[in-house]
Amino acid sequence: MGLDIPGATGACPDAAPLDERGAEDLLRGICFKTGPPRTVGVELEWLIHDRARPDLPVEQDRLDSAVEAVRALPLSAALTFEPGGQLELSSQPAGSLMECVETTAADLAAVRGSLGAAGLAPVGLGVDPWQQPRRRLREPRYEAMEAALDRAGPAGRAMMCTSASVQVCLDAGEEEPGPLGYGRRWQLAHLLGAVLVAAFANSPFQQGRRTGWRSTRQSLWADLDPGRTLAPGHGRAPREAWAAHVLDTPVLCIRRESGPWDVPEGLTFREWIRTGSPRPPVQADLDYHLTTLFPPIRPRGHLELRMIDAQSGPDGWLVPLAVATALFDDPEAAETVYRAVKPLAETAGAAAAPRNPLWTAAAREGLADPELRAAAIACFGAALPALERMGASDAVRGTVAAFTERYVARGRCPADDLPDPGDLTDPSLLSDPSTLTDPSTLCDPSTPSRPGPPERPARTREGLVSGRPTIPPHPGKAAST
């Protein structure tokens, strides 16, 4: 979950202080930049593990050496590392789905090769199955985050140091109403998002045990500070709702040019503007504050879909990328899917995502939930012809079709294929660079798709641990990177 750092060490001393009206105008101007959907991007987070013994932590000096080698690669994507040592590749905005797939696949092949030379591999799981949270980066912003997270308990630190995701970035949409209008896309994202959580749930473990959730990562999100991780409330237009949400969310930290950063408790950005203490905030502070808000869909000019667990295998990542792009950007698919997921609003109720019954069922049950399964079948069914209309290659469409047949059609998700953590140490079950699909085949219509791994027997519901955890009624004031 990459954290952008505008003005990384603090505000420019010569910048003009913000007032409330100016902050609101800035937010309304930058959160939804409208126009016909044209570009797509993806952010891939990976856990880094030893290829032979993925259950053991990687020594710091070995990880540092591997990081330096990866940083030297000529990548198209931006490369960052998370507090727990997770690697993130953030693609450049691409003019089409296939351009995004091609450049990301090439970057990922280079990264896998570099890590493989060090005996390491990127592992696509939503939460590390074995390791306790261990912060490896020592920087002021992470010191401040840890101080804030520790006020509420372990969920935030676990999110910081042991989680990984696939984040899909799509244009906000058109100003005018309709299937590609930004208002419709904003509403669609908060219902379809639960379907994506369920279909791609891939984190049933934490610290060596089953948690009772298909997506433990999403359950961790629900345990964090709701002001920071909830979607804006209902009843306002998207721009106004988001602007109010940003200003009324507590500040995670106040940066300094030197020394530790301040970690105020309960100080909203609006109150900071009004009081001007400990110093008046400027636009760089607002920019930074935006990067510390983690709703499931974050508007940053474009829409960031942040709810999808990292996916296993060499090309598992491209399925959520392709499906989300098809369902949002193809007008026919967008209209079909909107009708399919609109009834889910009744299950969601008045509570905001991800702390409502719909999103809770998605994280806990995956596609074993009948309502989510029916919606997923409709959504993936609409995605396949949309991908053909969008010019997706046979290989991409074949990969999506194989996922649909293996999981969606059977009411299953990737978490249902995983053995217990003690049996998960076979590297072929996690990530095997020797089977990496050649990036060129993803764009070559003549190349058949690679068949999926052998199917595993389904686990029964009774196989899950008893005493499933529940979302706490009174979340702490935590924040996550």
Side-chain angles (χ1 to χ4, degrees), residues 179-391:
L180 300 184
Y182 82 94
R184 169 77 70 86
R185 287 160 75 88
W186 179 245
Q187 183 181 8
L188 173 64
H190 288 89
L191 296 174
L192 178 59
V195 179
L196 298 178
V197 169
F200 296 110
N202 193 34
S203 53
F205 313 121
Q206 189 179 24
Q207 297 183 30
R209 66 177 183 88
R210 290 192 181 274
T211 63
W213 299 82
R214 260 65 167 205
S215 177
T216 301
R217 176 183 173 274
Q218 191 59 49
S219 77
L220 291 172
W221 278 119
D223 283 349
L224 299 180
D225 172 18
R228 200 167 303 284
T229 59
L230 282 184
H234 303 290
R236 293 186 180 183
R239 287 191 177 98
E240 286 66 31
W242 179 247
H245 180 72
V246 170
L247 295 183
D248 292 330
T249 299
V251 174
L252 178 66
C253 59
I254 297 177
R255 298 167 296 160
R256 293 178 177 272
E257 293 293 338
S258 61
W261 294 1
D262 293 336
V263 186
E265 187 168 3
L267 176 68
T268 68
F269 202 92
R270 193 185 303 276
E271 291 167 341
W272 187 15
I273 291 174
R274 291 176 177 177
T275 63
S277 178
R279 60 170 175 78
V282 298
Q283 183 174 343
D285 293 308
L286 180 61
D287 294 340
Y288 185 86
H289 179 58
L290 286 168
T291 71
T292 69
L293 306 183
F294 313 115
I297 298 93
R298 186 166 65 175
R300 303 189 63 190
H302 57 278
L303 300 180
E304 290 180 348
L305 309 184
R306 305 172 57 84
M307 73 292 295
I308 302 168
D309 280 358
Q311 299 295 291
S312 304
D315 53 10
W317 58 272
L318 72 82
V319 180
L321 169 63
V323 169
T325 304
L327 298 184
F328 275 88
D329 287 1
D330 180 84
E332 182 177 337
E335 188 64 33
T336 298
V337 170
Y338 181 73
R339 292 196 299 267
V341 302
K342 192 174 181 180
L344 298 178
E346 184 175 348
T347 300
R355 293 174 63 91
N356 63 40
L358 176 66
W359 284 67
T360 301
R364 180 179 285 139
E365 305 296 341
L367 294 187
D369 180 273
E371 187 178 29
L372 286 164
R373 177 184 181 179
I377 289 172
C379 292
F380 278 72
L384 286 167
L387 287 170
E388 184 171 9
R389 288 191 294 268
M390 296 172 70

